[in-house]
Amino acid sequence: MQKFSKNLIRSFPSRIKKGVINMNHLLITGGAGFIGANFARYVYESHPEVQIVVLDKLTYAGNRANLTDILGDRVKLVVGDICDAPLVDRLVSKADAIVHFAAESHNDKALVNPWPFIQTNIVGTYTLIQAATKYHKRFHHVSTDEVYGDLPLSEHGSGDEGKFTPTSPYQPSSPYSASKASSDMLVRAWTRSFGLQATISNCSNNYGPYQHIEKFIPRQITNILSGRRPKLYGTGNNVRDWIHTNDHSAAIWDILTKGRIGEAYLIGANGEMSNKAVLEMILQLMGQPQDAYDVVRDRPGHDLRYAIDASKLRTELGWRPQYTNFEAGLQDTIEWYTSHRSWWETSKAQVEQTYARHNQ
Ligand code: NAD
Ligand code: TDX
């Protein structure tokens, strides 16, 4: 039996040239979650001709409140599961394009119970691409840089040992990233074998408003706001490449409207920082001593470093990040959580109890 060569696994054919596709009716899956809601708000504000249907299951991570003020004539929320084939078929048939955010997204949860990740991220994506193929609909798949595994750390905790590029091999190291890599592979295969009109984006770590408080930055901000001590995993030397979620939204819009079918674009804003450095910046901005945090159990298999080379997106589509001052973006994010206590306060104790059960 013939084995897949590395090149075959990496290749994602660009057989179909740029096309002008009507984008007036967008189906956004996972649009009640962090990045999906920010994207829906971005499109709502910057493209008034676009009608939006959000399909979201409202899992623990989804929140109707993320959309309440824009719901109305132009934005509808359908509460449902992307694995529900008849529902997906009906919604896809009515859309011009689908932007697929819906996923189980938290690494720590995947390490405790991977099953929902397999179901939503793999079976859900399969269900959507079957319908998008059937109705010849433009499909954009939102993915992560974690599909490429991790990069080595330098002696200083951050370094220049290369970055992820569109030709980096797929080497996912966690249950979450393996499920996202699987979904990417399905999209690539459907594009090649069935002519699915798809693009993929692989983005680095997002920050900004509406991010669930289980994630690193909002967890630490809300820990301080609620009188708890921030929690740093292991050495804190692990590096993430931070991008403001609005820059991610703009990049997705550019790829959706100008990207080449059959291409994968990496999204990142040169925002590499160690977790310890990010935490120290949060502590300083919130007027806390630099050492006012606890070191807790490290994440099993913890990826060391992510870093994105986004030159394809920049040169081909002209995208540029607008939020280039991380400290200013972090300050805005701190202010958002400070002025939206009711958005997170009710779930805080339960999120922390779950972490405490795993000594995190
Ligand atoms: P999130 O967990 O905040 O939101 C996910 C949303 O999907 C929620 O609203 C949830 O209710 C919904 N959902 C989950 N299962 C569903 C199902 N079966 N059917 C319908 N809806 C369902 O996640 P996020 O951080 O906003 O991430 C969104 C997407 O972006 C994901 O695909 C993720 O892999 C990708 N991504 C995230 C980051 C990041 O830094 N957060 C970076 C790169 C890529
Ligand atoms: O309390 C914490 N302390 C800590 O040190 C938490 C929650 C995390 N961490 C570390 C682990 C990571 O190195 O901070 C880093 C960021 O952690 P997360 O916010 O959980 O993000 P990460 O695991 O890097 O994955 C995120 O970026 C890629 C998103 O959750 C994914 O959905 C996305 O694909």
Side-chain angles (χ1 to χ4, degrees), residues 105 107 144 146 176 216 219 231 233 240 275 299 302:
S105 69
N107 270 302
T144 170
E146 296 191 23
Y176 161 70
F216 179 58
R219 184 183 184 203
K231 308 285 186 236
Y233 293 173
R240 297 294 181 262
N275 295 336
R299 176 183 284 171
H302 198 171

Side-chain angles (χ1 to χ4, degrees), residues 252-283:
I252 290 174
W253 182 260
D254 284 351
I255 296 166
L256 186 67
T257 55
K258 300 186 286 184
R260 284 180 295 143
I261 302 298
E263 291 290 324
Y265 295 86
L266 270 63
I267 308 174
N270 296 326
E272 275 187 76
M273 273 181 87
S274 74
N275 295 336
K276 187 163 180 280
V278 172
L279 178 54
E280 285 172 355
M281 195 179 276
I282 293 171
L283 287 162

Side-chain angles (χ1 to χ4, degrees), residues 170-292:
Y170 272 63
Q171 279 176 344
S173 39
S174 71
Y176 161 70
S177 55
S179 71
K180 290 296 289 187
S182 305
S183 66
D184 288 18
M185 291 302 173
L186 294 178
V187 174
R188 285 166 181 252
W190 262 240
T191 304
R192 177 160 171 155
S193 299
F194 304 131
L196 175 67
Q197 305 271 299
T199 42
I200 295 180
S201 53
N202 298 91
C203 188
S204 60
N205 284 61
N206 284 223
Y207 74 99
Y210 301 103
Q211 186 167 30
H212 195 280
I213 57 167
E214 69 191 354
K215 302 289 175 18
F216 179 58
I217 287 178
R219 184 183 184 203
Q220 312 317 331
I221 295 170
T222 56
N223 273 351
I224 295 168
L225 289 174
S226 62
R228 296 169 168 91
R229 280 167 72 85
K231 308 285 186 236
L232 189 67
Y233 293 173
T235 61
N237 289 334
N238 304 58
V239 170
R240 297 294 181 262
D241 188 353
W242 294 99
I243 180 172
H244 194 279
T245 189
N246 288 347
D247 282 334
H248 189 183
S249 293
I252 290 174
W253 182 260
D254 284 351
I255 296 166
L256 186 67
T257 55
K258 300 186 286 184
R260 284 180 295 143
I261 302 298
E263 291 290 324
Y265 295 86
L266 270 63
I267 308 174
N270 296 326
E272 275 187 76
M273 273 181 87
S274 74
N275 295 336
K276 187 163 180 280
V278 172
L279 178 54
E280 285 172 355
M281 195 179 276
I282 293 171
L283 287 162
Q284 184 245 318
L285 290 171
M286 296 184 75
Q288 303 291 311
Q290 290 294 92
D291 59 353

Side-chain angles (χ1 to χ4, degrees), residues 298-336:
D298 205 358
R299 176 183 284 171
H302 198 171
D303 280 345
L304 295 175
R305 171 174 167 251
Y306 306 139
I308 288 280
D309 175 350
S311 47
K312 178 175 171 181
L313 182 65
R314 286 170 175 263
T315 52
E316 223 180 81
L317 305 184
W319 173 86
R320 296 282 180 280
Q322 304 298 311
Y323 294 76
T324 48
N325 182 338
F326 179 71
E327 187 170 337
L330 198 53
Q331 177 69 55
D332 287 350
T333 306
I334 291 168
E335 279 163 23
W336 190 87

Side-chain angles (χ1 to χ4, degrees), residues 30 32-35 56-59 61-62 80-82 101-103 105 120 142-144 176 180 203-206:
F34 164 47
I35 305 177
D56 199 296
K57 191 178 171 183
L58 297 184
T59 66
D81 194 325
I82 57 166
F101 293 91
S105 69
T120 287
V142 179
S143 191
T144 170
Y176 161 70
K180 290 296 289 187
C203 188
S204 60
N205 284 61
N206 284 223

